[in-house]
Amino acid sequence: MDSSWANLHVAILSSPGMGHLIPVLLLGNRLATQHGVRVSVLLVTTAASPPVWELLKLPLHPLVQILELPPVDISHLIDSSAKVVTQLCLMVRESLPSIRAAMDPRPHALFVDHFGTDALHIAAEFNMPNYVYIPSNAWFTALLLHSPLLHQQIPGDYVDQTDPIQIPGCKPVRPEDLVDPMLDRKDQQYQEYLKVCTNIPLCDGVLINSWKDLEPKTIQALAENRIPVHPIGPLTREVEPGNRDSDLVRWLDRQPHESVVLVSFGSGGVLSQQQMTELAWGLELSRQRFIWVVRHPTQGAVDDAFFRVTNGHDDATLDYLPQGFLSRTQNLGLLVPNWAPQAEILSHPAVGGFLSHCGWNSTLEGITNGLPLIAWPLYAEQKMNAALLAEEVGVALRPRALPTSQVVGREEIEMMVRALMEGEQGRRLRGKARQLRMTAVEALKVGGPSHTTLCDLLANISST
Ligand code: UDP
């Protein structure tokens, strides 16, 4: 450990949701483990939020302390149509008094995730260096930074554009792949999104969970930006040997090398009944081994589970699966209700592919285990992630149409799973993922680009 920063104390604000909390805790652990920095993680909570990190079993370095902020109630501010981004931004806004109170004693710097940018002015009040941590990729970050200009340049809804949306120096974005809040300019979450995008340039620098070898062109383009963008990734969970002792891991131990595909839609993803049926049939017809993290189908939004992730005990009935599916696939697959130890599963040698919703944490967990993906995006920035992985990075195949625009049929699923697990295409994608896994290790090791970036950032903080 480099202990040059042993007297530094930083606070990192995490908005609710696994996809934010996990990378925040990983950043905290990294700062503590590699650099000896003391870290307070300020966690925005609501009365309804379950104690999420207990699900994670993520060992924290003793220098990392979690401070749960008092739960906020936003029910009087929203109606049932309020989208995820609206809710996240309101939760942070309602927590501002307790975030300010947590600045005593004053840390040396404040980091906020991108839904926490309303708290940046607190850092300014306390005259502290402040950073926005976007726990995602460079391309999405470029879109965020460019969105205030797009708002001025493009009249009407983005989805009605016939041409791809241009971002300077980056791959253009197809209108249908844009992030959720850009899909409807009339919804309140677009206003919240725009506020986030306008706030980001107020900070001293942006941290992203990516690395140069994954997105060389986009990271280069971001270097031209007025706000410094620091790639510090890929930060992913490491698996503790003790966690390998479970029925699930014992099942994996009995499967051949690289023979199992993990099917998981992150912390928030839910499918329709019809899509669940097609997916079940597709998996069965593929005759490939699988672990499938199943959730009760929804008639509502595809991110229905976002604020209510649980450990599975409340959802044990599987009557939504096709009749006979369980008995016909009992030697082929394993179903896990709601929540599975994804990091452990992906690092197991029996796993050879990942059908994923392309949340950025899941994506990184796949790549850093050298796994090819089937990209099945559902919400947030996942459609961009899927396009990036399939078209630019070359580690994923994906359905012909977006799964949010039409049901993916069983034959297509069968074909994709086979291609991933035993086809030439799967072999090529796996080769690329393995190559990237090596560059990820290089990026993070002492003297590697992501490690050096964090050292430089800490040097800036300590000299302020
Ligand atoms: N995760 C998990 N078990 C599950 C579902 C998700 O451990 O059953 C973890 C997953 O490994 C990842 C995080 O939750 O680290 C989800 O983050 P991601 O960015 O992939 O997607 P989000 O849930 O934010 O959509």
Side-chain angles (χ1 to χ4, degrees):
M1 180 175 85
D2 171 3
S3 52
S4 338
W5 321 109
N7 48 15
L8 279 189
H9 170 217
V10 305
I12 316 179
L13 178 67
S14 170
S15 54
M18 280 298 197
H20 311 142
L21 177 62
I22 291 173
V24 161
L25 294 178
L26 291 172
L27 174 61
N29 260 356
R30 178 94 186 152
L31 287 167
T33 316
Q34 295 281 316
H35 306 279
V37 176
R38 191 157 65 80
V39 180
S40 303
V41 172
L42 312 182
L43 177 57
V44 173
T45 67
T46 67
S49 41
V52 281
W53 68 87
E54 285 172 12
L55 278 179
L56 292 176
K57 301 197 183 81
L58 184 74
L60 288 183
H61 189 279
L63 285 171
V64 182
Q65 175 209 17
I66 295 191
L67 187 67
E68 254 186 289
L69 299 172
V72 289
D73 178 9
I74 57 161
S75 56
H76 60 293
L77 300 171
I78 55 169
D79 60 29
S80 58
S81 67
K83 306 274 176 22
V84 167
V85 170
T86 303
Q87 294 190 50
L88 288 170
C89 291
L90 287 173
M91 287 169 187
V92 170
R93 206 162 293 147
E94 291 297 291
S95 300
L96 287 175
S98 34
I99 297 171
R100 182 176 287 105
M103 295 299 115
D104 183 20
R106 174 189 175 282
H108 293 97
L110 176 67
F111 295 70
V112 301
D113 73 38
H114 55 291
F115 293 112
T117 59
D118 269 352
L120 287 176
H121 69 86
I122 296 180
E125 250 174 63
F126 286 83
N127 204 15
M128 266 185 269
N130 52 81
Y131 299 88
V132 176
Y133 178 32
I134 301 177
S136 187
N137 55 70
W139 193 34
F140 168 58
T141 302
L143 176 71
L144 288 174
L145 292 170
H146 196 55
S147 285
L149 204 60
L150 291 174
H151 176 71
Q152 288 170 14
Q153 287 173 343
I154 298 182
D157 261 321
Y158 300 103
V159 278
D160 297 333
Q161 297 297 307
T162 43
D163 293 331
I165 309 290
Q166 301 295 328
I167 312 175
C170 304
K171 176 180 164 58
V173 189
R174 271 187 305 268
E176 65 271 27
D177 287 341
L178 283 167
V179 295
D180 280 353
M182 291 181 85
L183 299 180
D184 179 4
R185 277 170 92 135
K186 289 178 290 303
D187 193 282
Q188 187 185 346
Q189 74 167 351
Y190 179 65
Q191 296 311 322
E192 294 292 352
Y193 168 79
L194 214 53
K195 188 155 192 279
V196 165
C197 300
T198 317
N199 280 343
I200 292 173
L202 303 176
C203 74
D204 295 312
V206 172
L207 282 66
I208 57 173
N209 200 4
S210 190
W211 71 107
K212 283 191 182 133
D213 287 294
L214 187 77
E215 302 178 271
K217 188 176 136 213
T218 315
I219 288 176
Q220 180 58 42
L222 284 172
E224 317 279 307
N225 211 280
R226 193 171 59 78
I227 303 298
V229 176
H230 309 284
I232 55 145
L235 303 184
T236 54
R237 281 185 284 166
E238 273 163 34
V239 178
E240 294 289 289
N243 287 357
R244 293 194 179 276
D245 186 24
S246 68
D247 287 349
L248 198 141
V249 173
R250 277 190 286 276
W251 181 85
L252 278 169
D253 287 343
R254 294 196 296 275
Q255 311 308 316
H257 191 64
E258 291 177 356
S259 68
V260 177
V261 57
L262 172 67
V263 180
S264 169
F265 299 96
S267 60
V270 196
L271 305 180
S272 66
Q273 174 63 66
Q274 197 189 353
Q275 186 61 85
M276 288 293 281
T277 305
E278 292 306 306
L279 181 51
W281 275 111
L283 287 172
E284 182 179 339
L285 292 167
S286 78
R287 304 312 297 162
Q288 303 297 312
R289 293 176 175 80
F290 63 85
I291 293 178
W292 181 9
V293 186
V294 286
R295 297 208 174 101
H296 209 280
T298 180
Q299 292 180 323
V302 287
D303 57 3
D304 233 20
F306 193 84
F307 289 114
R308 53 179 178 83
V309 59
T310 65
N311 62 7
H313 298 303
D314 65 337
D315 197 14
T317 55
L318 300 170
D319 52 1
Y320 47 82
L321 292 170
Q323 216 176 8
F325 173 78
L326 292 179
S327 57
R328 290 193 303 273
T329 58
Q330 63 182 350
N331 295 324
L332 208 58
L334 209 61
L335 299 176
V336 184
N338 271 330
W339 185 261
Q342 184 171 298
E344 276 108 84
I345 296 172
L346 291 174
S347 67
H348 195 286
V351 175
F354 186 16
L355 189 160
S356 169
H357 76 314
C358 299
W360 195 244
N361 296 295
S362 297
T363 298
L364 294 180
E365 288 160 16
I367 294 177
T368 55
N369 282 295
L371 295 173
L373 291 99
I374 294 174
W376 188 299
L378 294 176
Y379 54 93
E381 90 288 18
Q382 292 154 15
K383 289 172 223 147
M384 282 180 73
N385 298 349
L388 176 74
L389 298 174
E391 294 164 17
E392 196 161 294
V393 179
V395 293
L397 53 95
R398 58 187 168 159
R400 280 187 298 267
L402 281 174
T404 43
S405 63
Q406 74 186 54
V407 171
V408 187
R410 61 191 73 176
E411 292 82 13
E412 191 179 5
I413 297 169
E414 172 194 355
M415 197 193 68
M416 286 192 299
V417 175
R418 278 189 202 275
L420 186 80
M421 300 304 286
E422 46 177 37
E424 180 47 41
Q425 194 182 8
R427 252 193 303 282
R428 248 193 350 264
L429 301 174
R430 183 170 297 113
K432 180 70 196 192
R434 285 190 177 145
Q435 198 187 327
L436 284 167
R437 172 174 58 182
M438 289 192 304
T439 67
V441 174
E442 289 299 312
L444 290 172
K445 74 180 191 198
V446 176
S450 296
H451 180 270
T452 306
T453 300
L454 213 44
C455 289
D456 294 347
L457 197 88
L458 292 171
N460 272 343
I461 294 173
S462 83
S463 67
T464 311

